[in-house]
Amino acid sequence: MPTVRLIAALVLSALAATACGKDGSPPTKGPAAGKLPEYRVATGFQLPESGTWRKAKSRGRFIVGAKEDQPYLGEKDPATGTYSGFDIEIAKMISASLGLDPRRIEFRTIASANRETALQNGQIDYYVGTYTINDNRKKLVGFGGPYYMAGQGLLVRHDEEDIKGPQDLDGKRVCSAAGSTPFQRIQQDYPKATLVAYDTYSVCVDNLLTYQVDAVTTDDAILIGYAAKVPDELKVVGKPFSEEPYGIGVPRSDNALRFAVDDALAAREKNGDWQKAYDATLGLSGVPAPKPPAIDRYPAN
Ligand code: GLU
């Protein structure tokens, strides 16, 4: 066991070095600023029906909830505090379409289990962070989008041979984030797995590297990023076993904001910004840009 811990410690320090952008490390820190699209800020845009928009407008910026430890999607540079990734780009393009400078967005890290509360109590204006749209959550918040379709997968250590799919999880220790759809799916559909929950997937990955758990489960888009950081240690196995349409979370009663977010997204898909944002972020994982899923503009609540 001491050797295993030593290896794990080395791997973790390699992760830290990668986060500092060491030459030769995989491009997981986020894209070079010059490669990112510039989103033109809409001039004269007005959305007085939206209380959220009015507050943001008078404050001069949106406050956006996000993740800070999900490579290619939402990552915070510990040195500068800057957020980057595909979700962050989605947040920026929406801000620009809604007439507020994306460079002024104040990002706040909110864990999976706390998203609904953060939107309900006005802590954030909207949320972009691998947030699956589903009917249960729609009772609590509104969703613009979807802007991307992910699917649940499994991350294991590189030398793992027993786990190839969710059917192999009986008696295995499986880690996921509290309050997430992948956690719920394992609980319901694979009750013989021993579930371990943390606030974040990065803590699950640390536990996987130190042999505290046998697998990490969440969306494939998230797992690919962790595997890319330490490809010699980790691998994603099997086929995706769910559909996770990513939405932009908004306060449930603010239909005006939700429709404006849908319009913004549709326009950014049409003008090529969505594709450029994908290529500069999640596309670095090696998966070419898919066609964005159809936007579900469901009726006002
Ligand atoms: N997309 C899933 C969810 O919303 C998993 C990723 C996450 O926890 O953000 O629960």
Side-chain angles (χ1 to χ4, degrees):
M1 208 60 179
T3 343
V4 164
R5 289 199 185 274
L6 180 66
I7 292 169
L10 289 172
V11 167
L12 292 176
S13 61
L15 277 172
T18 305
C20 298
K22 227 172 146 197
D23 280 353
S25 58
T28 48
K29 190 191 155 226
K35 300 248 166 67
L36 290 169
E38 287 276 329
Y39 308 110
R40 218 166 47 79
V41 181
T43 46
F45 180 89
Q46 294 290 331
L47 197 63
E49 322 85 274
S50 163
T52 314
W53 184 86
R54 285 201 311 271
K55 252 198 296 162
K57 181 78 181 167
S58 62
R59 174 195 307 129
R61 64 181 185 281
F62 278 113
I63 300 176
V64 177
K67 295 288 180 69
E68 66 169 40
D69 61 347
Q70 299 186 171
Y72 303 125
L73 289 157
E75 257 196 311
K76 184 178 170 180
D77 183 328
T80 62
T82 308
Y83 286 73
S84 65
F86 186 54
D87 287 334
I88 303 307
E89 292 307 304
I90 296 288
K92 286 182 186 167
M93 59 181 84
I94 284 163
S95 172
S97 288
L98 271 48
L100 289 165
D101 189 338
R103 288 169 305 189
R104 298 205 59 203
I105 293 178
E106 184 182 328
F107 285 102
R108 291 197 186 154
T109 301
I110 309 276
S112 296
N114 303 330
R115 295 181 280 213
E116 290 80 25
T117 330
L119 285 165
Q120 284 170 329
N121 67 19
Q123 214 181 321
I124 52 174
D125 298 324
Y126 58 94
Y127 186 94
V128 195
T130 60
Y131 196 8
T132 295
I133 304 173
N134 66 32
D135 288 344
N136 277 336
R137 289 175 177 168
K138 272 186 183 170
K139 292 178 194 145
L140 304 170
V141 301
F143 285 104
Y147 61 90
Y148 183 76
M149 182 65 83
Q152 186 167 353
L154 292 169
L155 181 73
V156 295
R157 285 180 298 270
H158 203 256
D159 57 3
E160 172 67 58
E161 282 169 8
D162 296 346
I163 304 173
K164 298 194 176 70
Q167 70 284 351
D168 303 323
L169 295 177
D170 290 7
K172 302 286 186 190
R173 295 160 301 174
V174 184
C175 192
S176 196
S180 71
T181 50
F183 178 88
Q184 285 159 10
R185 190 163 297 103
I186 298 295
Q187 201 170 37
Q188 278 156 26
D189 299 351
Y190 303 94
K192 291 194 178 134
T194 304
L195 259 171
V196 178
Y198 288 102
D199 284 349
T200 63
Y201 301 108
S202 53
V203 174
C204 283
V205 173
D206 292 348
N207 275 265
L208 180 63
L209 289 166
T210 52
Y211 290 72
Q212 311 297 307
V213 299
D214 304 305
V216 176
T217 189
T218 185
D219 306 332
D220 48 2
I222 302 172
L223 297 177
I224 285 168
Y226 291 125
K229 287 218 173 189
V230 278
D232 296 341
E233 305 295 325
L234 300 175
K235 62 183 178 188
V236 178
V237 287
K239 290 202 180 73
F241 53 98
S242 74
E243 286 201 330
E244 309 289 333
Y246 287 173
I248 296 126
V250 297
R252 187 173 190 273
S253 58
D254 202 334
N255 292 294
L257 179 65
R258 175 159 62 84
F259 293 140
V261 164
D262 282 343
D263 291 344
L265 188 60
R268 300 287 174 178
E269 286 175 7
K270 201 164 164 217
N271 77 357
D273 282 349
W274 183 97
Q275 165 96 41
K276 274 188 220 151
Y278 180 93
D279 290 345
T281 56
L282 200 46
L284 298 176
S285 70
V287 182
K291 210 167 101 65
I295 294 169
D296 176 19
R297 195 185 174 89
Y298 59 93
N301 294 306

